[in-house]
């Protein structure tokens, strides 16, 4: 199998950054995308110092369709893409729906759903000509089980799971694999973002048990990418051992 190149959205932190370093460590060329340019170039420096791979960065706001497509289209024709890790996503707020902010709905829908569509559609011409094309969507168990205060976030992740299945069907004639990875609680900046900077509330989410870490998810993504050409894992649902599902976690 020749060298493959993977585009990772939301590569500036958490699961995206862990995927970037893990894939680079395993010989994949990577394209890191995200909003925060300084974080992207920092990670690029780290990767190119450590690994003999090609590492490109593209800074754009995934909620802005034009900026996203301009960035993708700025890649030279020689810059092939074999796989995409649609990881950019966030939750904002965990209060009841009646107290939620419409601006937060827009940000979640624009990033988690529309952003994923824009990127996937925008790179389709490159995926189509790859020998090992693969779309990996980072979903969530929140897309399987709605929980209190989850409303729009849960809906976006249900959409990601649904789109994964639809795309799997539509892209079948093109031989493009489409997979979803649906993790439970992963200790990253996720909760700090959800609770809008409230570190105490964020830390409480992961207290009293051993949650997943970003690296655990990155290892699964690597496993999916390394499967033989004729094998597609359509969805992986993964949680910490202490978490059975969205409602049942054993905490000390
Ligand atoms: C993140 C997992 O359970 O906090 O998607 O919604 S959860």
């Amino acid at each position: 199998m020749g060298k493959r190149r993977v585009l990772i959205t939301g590569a500036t932190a958490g699961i995206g950054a862990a995927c970037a370093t893990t894939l680079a460590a395993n010989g994949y060329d990577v394209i890191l995308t995200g909003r925060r340019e300084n974080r992207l170039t920092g990670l690029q420096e780290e990767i190119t110092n450590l690994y003999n791979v090609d590492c490109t960065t593209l800074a754009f706001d995934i909620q802005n369709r034009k900026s996203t497509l301009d960035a993708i289209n700025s890649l030279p024709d020689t810059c092939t893409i074999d796989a995409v890790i649609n990881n950019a996503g966030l939750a904002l707020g965990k209060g009841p729906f009646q107290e939620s902010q419409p601006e937060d709905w827009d940000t979640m829908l624009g990033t988690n759903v529309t952003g994923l569509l824009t990127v996937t559609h925008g790179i389709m011409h490159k995926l189509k000509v790859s020998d090992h094309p693969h779309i990996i969507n980072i979903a969530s168990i929140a897309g399987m089980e709605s929980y209190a205060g989850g409303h729009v976030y849960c809906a976006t992740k249900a959409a990601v799971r649904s789109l994964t299945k639809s795309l799997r069907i539509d892209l079948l004639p093109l031989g493009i694999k489409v997979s979803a990875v649906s993790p439970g609680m992963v200790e990253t900046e996720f909760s700090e973002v959800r609770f809008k900077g409230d570190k105490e509330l964020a830390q409480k989410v992961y207290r009293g048990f051993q949650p997943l870490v970003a690296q655990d998810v990155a290892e699964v993504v690597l496993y999916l990418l390394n499967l033989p050409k004729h094998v597609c894992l359509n969805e992986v649902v993964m949680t910490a051992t202490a978490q059975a599902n969205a409602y049942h976690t054993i905490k000390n």
Side-chain angles (χ1 to χ4, degrees), residues 140 142 147 153 184 190:
S140 168
Y147 52 75
Y153 176 69
F190 175 83

Coordinates of all heavy atoms in Angstrom, one line a residue, residues 140 142 147 153 184 190, ligand 1:
S140 N -21.0 10.2 18.1 CA -21.0 10.2 19.6 C -22.1 9.3 20.1 O -23.1 9.1 19.3 CB -21.3 11.6 20.2 OG -21.6 11.6 21.5
A142 N -24.0 10.3 22.1 CA -25.1 11.3 22.2 C -26.0 11.2 21.0 O -27.2 11.7 21.0 CB -24.5 12.7 22.3
Y147 N -30.1 12.7 25.9 CA -30.1 12.9 27.4 C -30.5 14.3 27.7 O -30.5 15.2 26.9 CB -28.7 12.5 28.0 CG -27.5 13.2 27.3 CD1 -27.2 14.5 27.5 CD2 -26.7 12.5 26.4 CE1 -26.1 15.2 27.0 CE2 -25.6 13.1 25.8 CZ -25.3 14.4 26.1 OH -24.3 15.1 25.5
Y153 N -27.3 19.3 20.6 CA -26.0 18.5 20.4 C -26.3 17.1 20.0 O -25.8 16.5 19.1 CB -25.2 18.6 21.7 CG -23.9 17.7 21.5 CD1 -22.9 18.1 20.7 CD2 -23.8 16.5 22.3 CE1 -21.8 17.3 20.5 CE2 -22.6 15.7 22.1 CZ -21.6 16.1 21.2 OH -20.5 15.3 21.1
G184 N -18.2 7.6 23.9 CA -18.8 8.1 25.1 C -18.0 9.3 25.6 O -17.4 10.0 24.8
F190 N -13.7 19.3 25.5 CA -15.1 19.2 25.1 C -16.0 19.9 26.2 O -16.8 20.7 25.9 CB -15.5 17.8 24.9 CG -16.9 17.5 24.6 CD1 -17.5 17.7 23.4 CD2 -17.8 17.1 25.7 CE1 -18.8 17.5 23.1 CE2 -19.1 16.9 25.4 CZ -19.7 17.1 24.2
Ligands
LIG1 C1 -19.6 13.5 23.9 C2 -20.1 12.4 24.7 O1 -21.8 11.6 26.4 O2 -20.8 13.8 26.7 O3 -20.1 13.4 22.6 O4 -22.4 13.5 24.9 S1 -21.3 12.9 25.7

